[in-house]
Structure formats: structure tokens, C-alpha cells
Amino acid sequence: MFSVTRCSSLRSFQIATLCLLALFAAAPTASAQLSVPANVKVGERLLFILANQERLQRGLNALRWDDALYSSAHYHATWMARRADISHQFPGEPDLSARASKLGAQFSVVAENIAIVNEIHSAHDEWMKSPGHRENLLDPRLDSVGIAFEIRNGRFYVVQDFSRAVTTLSFQQQEQRIAQMLRDTGLVVYDTTQATDAARRTCDLDTGWAGPTKPNFTMRWISGDLNTVPGELNRQLATGKYTTAWVGACKAKDTAGFTAYSLVVMLFMRPPQEVPQVIEETPNALNQPSATQRPQPKVADLPPQQQN
């Protein structure tokens, strides 16, 4: 952990620049931990350091710089400066989650602070005085930030976008994470091609299941965190009546820009049967012939063509 001495005598952006350079020179370890790209303005670096100073002094994790969030913050700062106004969303502009997602951020939590100030460091001061903005700065769930400003008529239009970043994982990587947690409870997890395929198809269904054997319990959920499973699944596992599980991942639906994992766990009291062909069972699909079994219409069955 490190500390950064606050320059209380800042009176202008020029002085802030000199003070910040002194801080970097005096704290090489700090600057290495809180690195930002070369194109980031000095004032933006200053707000980044001040934000992490507040967090580290309270034992919170430091925020890492995120280029996608920086793009999101810069995009919105430009809107504010052009309108000479302050708002989290202007007419015709995407909201925060859509904006950040479109610009490449992947997250399960997102938040934003905005300000219009005459001196760049004042934005941090004002945010720390405001309960809502202070909560964003000190939120332990958040781990990433991008900060940008634009200047108009000598005033700084500042945007600070935060997130809890989500790592992009393949379906297989997601399934492996959950499978290991299940194995740690003593459960046998089938990861054969057929079991995985049936579980993934079940994940895509709103109800019902896919596969040759009906599970005794099915748990579907969407989350940005693969370190835990739903409480109801834990309660089922605690009963000790299940011996086997299938795990599947699929694309999360209707996430409104948030990055999330969609998963299913199928629990069986006895080892499920595996057969060469996976049969999908859904409501209204029972006892109906497959596409290859359905009789094809004969010419005589078609309606007559109208004559002009």
C-alpha cells in the first residue's frame, strides 16, 4: 500500500500539473501500480490518483485504468461540453450501460460521477462531499475506472465512469468453473460431449430440459460472478440426495449492456442414462413426429391455384 500526499495549495490547472508530476517522481512504486496510457491528460491522471488515494487509505482495492471506460467517459464529457450542461444522459445519447458496452467495456456493475468545475481537482473535492458520488468512489465492488474531461470557456466538464469488470470466458471455461465447485462438494460431474450438449441446450430453454433423462432438479441463473452459485442450489446440494450433475452455459439474454454468464446445473439422484442421440423435450413437443417423420404434403393436398 502507498500514500499520496494531497497538494492542498492547488489553485489552477497549471499548478495541478506541476504538483502531479512531483507526486509521480516521489512515488515511483505508486505510479507503477496506477499506470495509465500515455495519451491520458495530466488532469485525468490527477483524478485517478486522488480516487485511489481515498480507496487505499480505507483498505479498499485500487481501481485499475480501463481504456473502454475512458472512451465512455470522454464520449459523455464531449456531450456535456457541447451543451454546456450537466446530465447523465442527454436526448439522443445512449445511457451509461449501453454507452460503455458499445465502446468495449465488459462489466457486471457500472456507475458514473459527473461534474462541472473551474479547477480540475475541485471535481474530486465535490464528489467526496456528495454522499452518492462518494459512495461510487468508495464502492468495494468496483475495480475499474476511466476518467475524462473537456474544457469549454475555461470550465472543466468531467466524467468518471466505474465498473466491476467481467472477464470474457468461453462456455467451456464457465462450465469448468462451476463444475469444480460442484466436485468440491463430492458430486460427480459428467463432462462428456453428450452431457455438455444436453446441458447447454437446457440452458437455452426457458423451461423443460434437453437430454435422454429428466433431471431431478434444474437450476438456471444469470450472473456476472462465477465464484458463487445460487443459494437454492446450495440448499439442494446440502440435502445429499444427488449423486451426479450436468453443467451447461449459454448466451445470456436481455442483459441491457451488462456482461453476464448464463448457466444451468442439472442434478440427478442416480447417474443419468446417456444415449447416442440427444432428444430435446419441451412443452408442446411431446408425442409429435420429428421433422423427418412428418408426412410431406401431396400435390392433391395443396389448394388449387387461382385462375386470372
Side-chain angles (χ1 to χ4, degrees):
M1 185 177 295
F2 68 93
S3 62
V4 178
T5 304
R6 177 65 193 278
C7 301
S8 58
S9 61
L10 297 180
R11 288 292 180 268
S12 67
F13 181 61
Q14 289 76 16
I15 298 177
T17 301
L18 295 174
C19 184
L20 180 60
L21 292 175
L23 289 175
F24 271 105
T29 303
S31 61
Q33 291 178 351
L34 303 179
S35 61
V36 296
N39 65 315
V40 175
K41 302 171 190 172
V42 172
E44 296 161 347
R45 293 169 184 256
L46 173 64
L47 294 177
F48 178 60
I49 288 179
L50 294 176
N52 276 317
Q53 176 188 7
E54 301 286 358
R55 293 175 67 91
L56 293 172
Q57 286 177 344
R58 292 164 176 80
L60 300 171
N61 61 292
L63 299 168
R64 69 173 184 85
W65 187 267
D66 186 286
D67 287 338
L69 292 178
Y70 174 68
S71 297
S72 172
H74 182 263
Y75 179 90
H76 189 56
T78 302
W79 273 74
M80 292 204 306
R82 288 177 178 174
R83 290 174 169 264
D85 197 4
I86 187 168
S87 174
H88 285 287
Q89 182 183 12
F90 293 103
E93 181 192 21
D95 64 16
L96 171 59
S97 61
R99 180 207 325 151
S101 176
K102 185 176 181 179
L103 291 170
Q106 296 179 308
F107 50 84
S108 59
V109 180
V110 67
E112 180 173 82
N113 286 344
I114 55 178
I116 302 176
V117 293
N118 294 324
E119 298 178 350
I120 189 61
H121 70 92
S122 298
H124 179 79
D125 296 336
E126 295 304 316
W127 289 332
M128 288 302 293
K129 293 176 185 176
S130 166
H133 297 89
R134 179 188 176 94
E135 182 179 352
N136 286 339
L137 274 162
L138 302 180
D139 190 336
R141 299 175 301 166
L142 302 175
D143 57 23
S144 305
V145 70
I147 305 167
F149 67 80
E150 289 294 324
I151 302 174
R152 177 174 177 176
N153 297 330
R155 306 194 77 192
F156 294 85
Y157 294 79
V158 193
V159 179
Q160 189 176 50
D161 284 350
F162 305 89
S163 80
R164 180 180 182 87
V166 175
T167 304
T168 301
L169 298 175
S170 67
F171 288 165
Q172 183 179 21
Q173 290 171 319
Q174 297 172 42
E175 291 156 356
Q176 288 172 345
R177 291 261 191 109
I178 301 302
Q180 188 56 55
M181 284 189 278
L182 298 178
R183 289 189 177 104
D184 289 343
T185 69
L187 214 61
V188 175
V189 180
Y190 281 19
D191 56 5
T192 63
T193 300
Q194 187 184 60
T196 300
D197 178 67
R200 288 180 181 177
R201 296 175 69 191
T202 298
C203 182
D204 270 326
L205 300 174
D206 293 328
T207 59
W209 72 94
T213 306
K214 179 179 179 180
N216 299 108
F217 177 81
T218 302
M219 183 79 234
R220 293 180 178 86
W221 76 98
I222 296 177
S223 174
D225 184 4
L226 291 182
N227 294 316
T228 60
V229 297
E232 179 58 28
L233 180 55
N234 278 325
R235 285 187 285 272
Q236 290 292 329
L237 295 173
T239 65
K241 60 185 180 182
Y242 303 104
T243 64
T244 312
W246 291 355
V247 179
C250 58
K251 184 178 180 180
K253 305 171 185 176
D254 303 324
T255 59
F258 289 81
T259 301
Y261 307 113
S262 182
L263 296 141
V264 67
V265 169
M266 305 163 70
L267 297 179
F268 302 89
M269 294 182 184
R270 292 183 296 176
Q273 176 187 5
E274 290 196 77
V275 295
Q277 181 183 3
V278 175
I279 303 170
E280 182 176 337
E281 184 175 345
T282 58
N284 302 321
L286 299 178
N287 302 320
Q288 292 187 7
S290 67
T292 57
Q293 295 173 326
R294 291 176 188 142
Q296 298 299 314
K298 300 177 182 178
V299 176
D301 295 331
L302 300 176
Q305 184 175 3
Q306 292 184 346
Q307 300 294 328
N308 293 327

